Amino acid sequence: MLKCRDVLALGSVYVDGAGSGREKFVLRAHLLMCGHCRKFIRSLRLTTRTVEQLPLPVDEARVQKIIALLPPAEKP
Ligand SMILES: [Zn+2]
């Protein structure tokens, strides 16, 4: 039987749709019984989708322009 810490390790593989059929089966079986891991997988999916929607690649010149517009850091 899969344990919660196994779900932590396999979570990103599951969310990415990778992993063997057996891994997916035992993970789904665990999710049916464990609300904590369901929440974890849900938040991992949300995070993955959000990251996928970020524009890539990062325009480094634009980042530097934005940084230049920021006020200087205050001295402690
Ligand atoms: Zn769990």
Side-chain angles (χ1 to χ4, degrees):
M1 182 54 85
L2 213 63
K3 294 190 171 144
C4 294
R5 66 169 174 257
D6 301 321
V7 175
L8 291 176
L10 284 173
S12 60
V13 173
Y14 178 73
V15 167
D16 290 344
S20 70
R22 186 186 175 284
E23 283 174 337
K24 287 176 193 170
F25 177 80
V26 293
L27 205 138
R28 281 188 193 137
H30 182 90
L31 293 180
L32 285 173
M33 298 181 296
C34 183
H36 297 296
C37 286
R38 278 199 300 273
K39 279 185 188 170
F40 167 69
I41 291 293
R42 203 176 302 141
S43 66
L44 192 60
R45 261 198 193 115
L46 183 64
T47 305
T48 302
R49 281 188 203 142
T50 304
V51 169
E52 284 170 356
Q53 289 173 3
L54 292 175
L56 292 174
V58 173
D59 182 348
E60 188 59 35
R62 191 168 180 202
V63 170
Q64 291 307 320
K65 279 183 193 169
I66 292 169
I67 289 172
L69 292 174
L70 295 173
E74 289 179 27
K75 290 180 181 163

